[in-house]
Amino acid sequence: MEKDWVKVYASNIAYESEIIRGMLEENGIEAVIVPRQDSSFVTMLPGMDEVYVHVSNEAQAKQLIAESRPEPGKTE
């Protein structure tokens, strides 16, 4: 990965990372998913997918992610 990219989200549920990446892209922020899977645990544990954005978009991306997640204990 090129330098100046930062991790803004991580999940062991692949579709969650895809949803976050898509939401960021819809808001004009280029985002990429980097799958992190320890090869020794491939059959036992799910890997962690990480979402990265350019450092210049970090604050906006984190704000969008925070706004898209429900507050703990709050139901809609």
Side-chain angles (χ1 to χ4, degrees):
M1 172 163 289
E2 297 178 27
K3 64 179 183 171
D4 298 329
W5 286 72
V6 293
K7 179 174 66 172
V8 293
Y9 186 79
S11 176
N12 62 351
I13 302 172
Y15 71 84
E16 284 185 357
S17 297
E18 287 291 344
I19 290 170
I20 294 295
R21 185 197 59 78
M23 181 265 302
L24 293 173
E25 297 262 334
E26 287 176 3
N27 285 279
I29 299 174
E30 183 179 3
V32 296
I33 294 176
V34 177
R36 301 288 185 191
Q37 178 76 48
D38 187 332
S39 61
S40 62
F41 297 109
V42 170
T43 59
M44 294 184 289
L45 300 172
M48 183 72 67
D49 287 340
E50 299 175 344
V51 180
Y52 284 79
V53 300
H54 190 269
V55 69
S56 63
N57 295 319
E58 179 180 11
Q60 183 183 6
K62 286 183 175 180
Q63 179 179 352
L64 287 167
I65 292 167
E67 290 171 358
S68 73
R69 312 281 300 163
E71 293 179 33
K74 185 177 181 181
T75 58
E76 295 184 39

